[in-house]
Amino acid sequence: MSKLIIHIGMPKTGSYSIQETLFSKGQHYSYRYADLGVLNHGGVITSFFSKDPYAWHGHKAVGRNRDQVNAFNEQVRKKLDLIKSSKGDQIISGEDIYQQMDEYSLRGMRDYFSDAFEKVEVIGYVRPPASFMASAFTQLVKNHGQSKLDLEKVWPR
């Protein structure tokens, strides 16, 4: 029975550590970390399955135009097709799946993978709000020089 695990940990829950470990090993027991060419699959998955891939912040950050976004998603489709055609269990992991994908996009992802895997399981990690906010504020102080608590910036979405 082949299985796809989709990990959608919210920020500040150790997702990066999980991704780094799985990416560096490539395989953990019977599970392969899906080869999408990146450590964090969230952006790639979000871009491909989104109703509006052009709005994804990753494309905006590097200034991709519509043709470049379409070419990007075509490359993603080829990689996803390889994952679907490979035998065995796979893991996909990304924060943007949790943060950016709406119900339409999630259904599209489910439908896309349902014919290739006998079971698709979604695992999400959620951190208590107060703990999340404290960690987010610490990161803002440490990495962005934040000196005052701004609840809008640290409130979990």
Side-chain angles (χ1 to χ4, degrees):
M1 170 191 260
S2 66
K3 181 159 102 173
L4 173 65
I5 293 177
I6 302 171
H7 168 252
I8 60 167
M10 71 180 280
K12 317 306 302 159
T13 58
S15 299
Y16 178 80
S17 178
I18 292 168
Q19 294 158 356
E20 188 175 44
T21 300
L22 292 171
F23 185 81
S24 68
K25 292 185 179 292
Q27 185 155 343
H28 185 69
Y29 297 103
S30 68
Y31 289 92
R32 281 193 309 259
Y33 195 57
D35 184 6
L36 294 173
V38 292
L39 182 116
N40 181 343
H41 300 141
V44 172
I45 293 294
T46 298
S47 176
F48 187 77
F49 290 105
S50 175
K51 273 192 265 190
D52 184 10
Y54 314 104
W56 176 56
H57 63 90
H59 294 313
K60 289 180 178 182
V62 296
R64 288 190 184 108
N65 63 33
R66 291 183 81 79
D67 290 338
Q68 291 169 321
V69 170
N70 292 337
F72 178 91
N73 279 346
E74 180 56 27
Q75 291 303 311
V76 171
R77 186 193 61 73
K78 289 177 183 176
K79 290 176 183 175
L80 291 174
D81 285 348
L82 284 173
I83 290 165
K84 284 175 59 171
S85 67
S86 68
K87 302 293 182 211
D89 302 325
Q90 298 270 341
I91 299 173
I92 289 175
S93 176
E95 291 87 352
D96 274 1
I97 299 169
Y98 167 87
Q99 292 179 296
Q100 304 293 321
M101 290 180 62
D102 60 10
E103 186 176 343
Y104 169 88
S105 304
L106 292 170
R107 288 181 193 274
M109 181 173 58
R110 177 201 60 202
D111 295 346
Y112 181 84
F113 287 117
S114 65
D115 64 337
F117 293 93
E118 294 170 70
K119 185 173 184 180
V120 176
E121 186 173 315
V122 178
I123 298 174
Y125 292 103
V126 179
R127 190 170 184 171
S131 173
F132 173 86
M133 293 169 70
S135 180
F137 180 65
T138 301
Q139 289 294 105
L140 287 170
V141 169
K142 190 167 73 175
N143 298 328
H144 302 286
Q146 182 92 20
S147 61
K148 186 170 89 172
L149 179 61
D150 179 351
L151 290 178
E152 276 298 309
K153 289 185 177 179
V154 298
W155 194 263
R157 304 281 183 249

